[in-house]
Amino acid sequence: MRFQTRTRRLGCIVFLIIWFVLLLSPCFFIVLATQGEINIQIGNIPSQTIRIWLIDGAQERGIAISRPTLMTTANDEKMTCVQTDTSFLLWMGHSEPISTCECYSENYQEWNLVALNSGLCP
């Protein structure tokens, strides 16, 4: 009996979470349409930001999403690299996913850009 009660409560909680996400999704799209982009800073490194933006060009239209991944180098120079993977959800035109790598060194709690590469981080 206790297992059924816990299962029902867990099911209700999951249902409520899904319901609130569905209710709040129009707010997300309204903010995206009015501002053109949404940035969410997830760390203290300059390019460590999740970014969602609208693409409204002559040949392409859609939404782009960039997600950063943090990596550290194992060589003598202590560098922190941020690999940013960008995906495109286009309803007009076509574009391939893009990856960029930005490497930073920290001097007295200030981040300095050391390298900027197109493609995956080494």
Side-chain angles (χ1 to χ4, degrees), residues 27-94:
C27 296
F28 171 78
F29 290 111
I30 289 170
V31 169
L32 185 61
T34 57
Q35 294 183 356
E37 71 177 337
I38 296 173
N39 292 317
I40 303 168
Q41 187 74 26
I42 58 172
N44 62 346
I45 299 175
S47 61
Q48 200 174 2
T49 303
I50 295 174
R51 182 175 176 228
I52 303 168
W53 72 97
L54 292 175
I55 299 172
D56 190 22
Q59 302 293 324
E60 298 172 334
R61 292 179 193 257
I63 297 174
I65 302 168
S66 66
R67 300 164 310 281
T69 304
L70 193 62
M71 300 176 185
T72 55
T73 58
N75 57 8
D76 295 336
E77 233 180 274
K78 280 295 265 186
M79 289 192 309
T80 302
C81 296
V82 178
Q83 179 177 318
T84 304
D85 299 315
T86 304
S87 303
F88 302 96
L89 304 168
L90 300 175
W91 49 82
M92 182 178 158
H94 184 269

